[in-house]
């Protein structure tokens, strides 16, 4: 299997947020460079887990079911990929947000 070419090289990552916490993100964001389209915060699996999970919104069911399409990243890395998420990172566990199409704004997911 070939190496991934991530959207942002480690040497290019800026300290946008204090972190030390990890999250899970889709390769559609970290490799393909798509913006975050959907984010949700679940109960953290351990102390270092932020609970955040990030998707572009273009992943289909088959893509999501393949664990090789998701990886752990420092939360600051994902903030570098899409700074529009930063204002929402202190949202409580259980939060679900989706990007307002064509903007850098997010709104709560309506059931």
């Amino acid at each position: 299997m070939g190496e991934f070419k991530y959207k942002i090289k480690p040497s290019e990552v800026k300290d946008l947020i204090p972190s030390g916490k990890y999250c899970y993100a889709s390769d559609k964001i970290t490799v393909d460079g798509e913006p975050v389209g959907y984010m949700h915060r679940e109960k953290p699996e351990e102390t270092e887990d932020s609970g955040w999970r990030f998707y572009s919104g273009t992943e289909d069911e088959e893509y999501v079911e393949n664990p090789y399409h998701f990886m752990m990243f420092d939360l600051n890395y994902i903030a570098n990929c899409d700074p529009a998420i930063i204002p929402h990172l202190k949202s409580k566990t259980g939060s679900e947000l989706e990007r307002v199409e064509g903007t850098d704004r997010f709104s709560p997911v309506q059931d």
Side-chain angles (χ1 to χ4, degrees):
M1 185 166 1
E3 280 190 41
F4 288 114
K5 296 199 184 292
Y6 291 104
K7 176 182 177 180
I8 300 174
K9 296 175 186 166
S11 62
E12 298 171 342
V13 174
K14 299 173 186 152
D15 290 329
L16 298 180
I17 60 167
S19 185
K21 300 273 186 176
Y22 71 81
C23 61
Y24 287 95
S26 164
D27 288 345
K28 296 258 186 176
I29 297 165
T30 60
V31 176
D32 298 342
E34 294 183 20
V36 172
Y38 171 78
M39 55 194 279
H40 72 94
R41 191 171 197 181
E42 55 189 49
K43 183 178 177 186
E45 296 175 357
E46 56 188 38
T47 308
E48 295 83 18
D49 181 6
S50 70
W52 281 109
R53 310 301 183 244
F54 298 96
Y55 303 81
S56 71
T58 62
E59 300 89 349
D60 60 22
E61 189 175 332
E62 182 179 348
Y63 188 95
V64 170
E65 288 178 2
N66 184 336
Y68 293 106
H69 289 300
F70 292 85
M71 229 173 118
M72 283 190 310
F73 288 89
D74 187 282
L75 193 54
N76 183 60
Y77 183 85
I78 304 305
N80 274 260
C81 290
D82 190 347
I85 68 169
I86 295 172
H88 307 285
L89 295 178
K90 292 188 179 181
S91 298
K92 65 182 181 174
T93 299
S95 296
E96 288 185 74
L97 302 161
E98 60 189 353
R99 185 179 294 268
V100 176
E101 192 172 338
T103 73
D104 281 339
R105 294 190 343 262
F106 286 83
S107 64
V109 172
Q110 303 297 321
D111 288 334

